[in-house]
Amino acid sequence: MRYEFLVGLRYTRSRKRAQGRNRFISFISLVSMLGIALGVAALIVVLSVMNGFQEELRTRILGVASHVQIQRIDGGLASWQQVADEAGRHPSVMAAAPYVQEQGLLSFGDAVRGTMVRGVIPSEEDKVADFARHMKAGAFDALQPGRFGILLGRDLALALRVTLGDKVTLIAPQGLVTPAAVLPRVKQFEVVGIFEAGMYEYDSGLALIHLADAQALYRMGEDVTGVRLKLDDLFAAPRVARQLAASLSEPGLTVADWTRAHANFFRAVALEKTMMTLILFLIVAVAAFNIVSTLVMAVQEKYADIAILRTLGASPASIMTVFVLQGTIIGFVGLAAGVIGGLLIAHNLDVVIPALEAVTGMTLWNKEVYYINELPSKVLWSDVVSIVSVSFLLTLLAALYPSWRASKVNPAEALRYE
């Protein structure tokens, strides 16, 4: 072992015989290690939870929305089958389904709610969305042409106070022109299913009917609003949308992907993750720069030792290496403890959260509010590597200045009063 490492390690360890200032320096070193460990563990846990939330919300949104939508700019799409066939030739497109989407007003008894009405073909829609998996009552394939059945989101059904078998009135904004006035189009639909996607936007404001019933109610003939596509890689949606916009033969089509439809939401999540990362890195920075005070006190305490080493032939670079190693060892131990603790907590949140709720007597995770049964967590090793790299760099930078000052100690001045 090189003597620089041996001396640096010895200065770092807390010894039972250490007294006075030596013991205080060892205590400050321990506090620095704990601070770095807590900061790194907090970073890993928070980023893992935010990654889990992002993935869970993306899964829930895309379980109802589509990866890519193709519509006409000026109205209904008549040749939707041709468009679906052309889009299906793209190697990334797994399935295509037509849809009709319009506004409507649902009423039952005294309750009235505005909603988005989507007309679908269950067998086709099942290939691009996951409504069948989200059904809480009834069945997705209960939508049959001419039966005028309707599927409601859970919160929408609760607001209307309806259950399976009830008949709700759907009022379409397109009216009938009569000599007396313009009358809205009204049709009764039977509630044949209730779904819960886990997103309030859809559970409280979306109703599904069969495509043929939607075309009849909204007087669209054989036209549809557009075609929904499912891709093999959802992150390739922007690229695929650009390629489809350039390759589709029919003019006047607009191609939009899910990142544009929910751009503000995912941009807000990404911004929140970035700000949380910066805030938590400040905790690591504060803990890392505690090493500065530790090493400054250590240098002051070891003036005589430094002078003796210099008179024995140690170079200024060797003295600097001793104290850099001392600061690096403090940071490395803290980083190792933080990574281990953070990974253990992140992978066992389903145990940690109930335990904390039992100890504190508080509800930390309300399923009724978040619509998710458990706190999601996803550890990305790229995040862990970034956290460790930046934290170690901060630790190393904090150790440089005190170590440089130690290398500048004049042996004669240091030993004058010894």
Side-chain angles (χ1 to χ4, degrees):
M1 182 185 295
R2 290 178 59 86
Y3 80 91
E4 294 96 336
F5 186 82
L6 178 63
V7 175
L9 182 62
R10 187 174 181 181
Y11 283 175
T12 305
R13 291 182 300 177
S14 175
R15 300 183 299 277
K16 293 183 179 179
R17 64 176 180 273
Q19 295 180 353
R21 198 166 181 181
N22 278 332
R23 178 168 290 179
F24 182 69
I25 294 172
S26 298
F27 173 73
I28 295 297
S29 299
L30 179 61
V31 170
S32 300
M33 291 179 189
L34 291 177
I36 293 172
L38 288 175
V40 170
L43 263 171
I44 291 175
V45 172
V46 170
L47 291 186
S48 298
V49 170
M50 298 196 74
N51 291 331
F53 256 123
Q54 198 168 10
E55 184 178 38
E56 185 72 19
L57 290 173
R58 184 167 54 236
T59 301
R60 290 176 181 268
I61 288 174
L62 296 182
V64 177
S66 58
H67 295 171
V68 176
Q69 293 187 21
I70 303 174
Q71 297 176 283
R72 280 196 65 84
I73 299 175
D74 55 356
L77 180 62
S79 56
W80 67 265
Q81 188 63 61
Q82 177 186 344
V83 172
D85 292 340
E86 289 184 8
R89 298 191 191 104
H90 193 284
S92 297
V93 177
M94 298 176 62
Y99 72 98
V100 168
Q101 189 153 301
E102 296 287 349
Q103 298 284 344
L105 192 66
L106 284 172
S107 67
F108 181 78
D110 296 332
V112 179
R113 289 291 184 276
T115 183
M116 182 69 70
V117 180
R118 183 183 296 173
V120 297
I121 302 175
S123 59
E124 299 296 323
E125 185 70 12
D126 219 18
K127 300 175 183 177
V128 299
D130 298 327
F131 281 108
R133 185 166 60 88
H134 297 307
M135 296 301 299
K136 295 299 179 183
F140 186 51
D141 55 8
L143 294 178
Q144 301 294 331
R147 180 184 174 182
F148 290 98
I150 190 170
L151 302 179
L152 302 179
R154 175 180 175 273
D155 293 312
L156 181 59
L158 289 175
L160 293 172
R161 298 187 292 276
V162 299
T163 58
L164 290 182
D166 289 337
K167 293 187 179 295
V168 297
T169 301
L170 176 58
I171 304 171
Q174 292 85 349
L176 295 172
V177 180
T178 66
V182 178
L183 301 178
R185 294 180 59 81
V186 179
K187 182 65 181 178
Q188 275 198 332
F189 284 78
E190 180 185 353
V191 178
V192 296
I194 295 174
F195 64 87
E196 183 179 10
M199 288 293 295
Y200 183 77
E201 176 186 357
Y202 300 123
D203 291 340
S204 64
L206 181 63
L208 301 178
I209 61 178
H210 196 277
L211 183 74
D213 297 340
Q215 289 172 326
L217 177 65
Y218 291 99
R219 290 186 166 183
M220 298 185 67
E222 297 298 320
D223 292 358
V224 299
T225 302
V227 176
R228 291 153 49 86
L229 306 179
K230 183 176 182 179
L231 309 181
D232 55 359
D233 180 9
L234 63 92
F235 296 107
R239 173 180 57 81
V240 174
R242 290 192 299 269
Q243 293 173 350
L244 289 174
S247 63
L248 293 175
S249 60
E250 184 170 339
L253 297 179
T254 175
V255 184
D257 62 90
W258 66 272
T259 61
R260 289 173 57 189
H262 302 88
N264 291 336
F265 176 77
F266 286 105
R267 194 176 294 121
V269 172
L271 179 61
E272 184 179 2
K273 180 180 177 182
T274 301
M275 295 307 300
M276 287 297 296
T277 303
L278 292 176
I279 291 170
L280 291 173
F281 261 126
L282 291 178
I283 299 175
V284 178
V286 169
F289 283 101
N290 277 340
I291 297 174
V292 175
S293 59
T294 303
L295 294 183
V296 167
M297 288 188 293
V299 169
Q300 293 291 330
E301 180 67 23
K302 304 300 182 182
Y303 254 38
D305 295 2
I306 294 170
I308 292 170
L309 286 173
R310 288 294 308 276
T311 57
L312 290 175
S315 65
S318 295
I319 299 299
M320 185 173 180
T321 302
V322 167
F323 289 96
V324 168
L325 284 172
Q326 182 180 355
T328 303
I329 291 169
I330 294 172
F332 180 79
V333 173
L335 281 173
V339 170
I340 294 172
L343 291 177
L344 286 175
I345 296 173
H347 285 297
N348 295 278
L349 281 175
D350 55 338
V351 177
V352 174
I353 295 299
L356 289 176
E357 290 179 340
V359 170
T360 61
M362 299 171 59
T363 302
L364 302 177
W365 189 254
N366 193 333
K367 304 177 183 62
E368 297 296 327
V369 174
Y370 297 105
Y371 295 102
I372 301 175
N373 294 331
E374 59 184 17
L375 189 63
S377 176
K378 181 182 180 182
V379 177
L380 294 180
W381 289 106
S382 58
D383 287 345
V384 176
V385 171
S386 299
I387 291 169
V388 171
S389 301
V390 175
S391 301
F392 186 77
L393 181 61
L394 289 173
T395 302
L396 187 60
L397 291 174
L400 289 179
Y401 176 74
S403 304
W404 177 77
R405 293 291 299 174
S407 70
K408 297 300 181 182
V409 170
N410 188 328
E413 292 292 332
L415 293 175
R416 175 175 296 178
Y417 302 104
E418 292 295 330

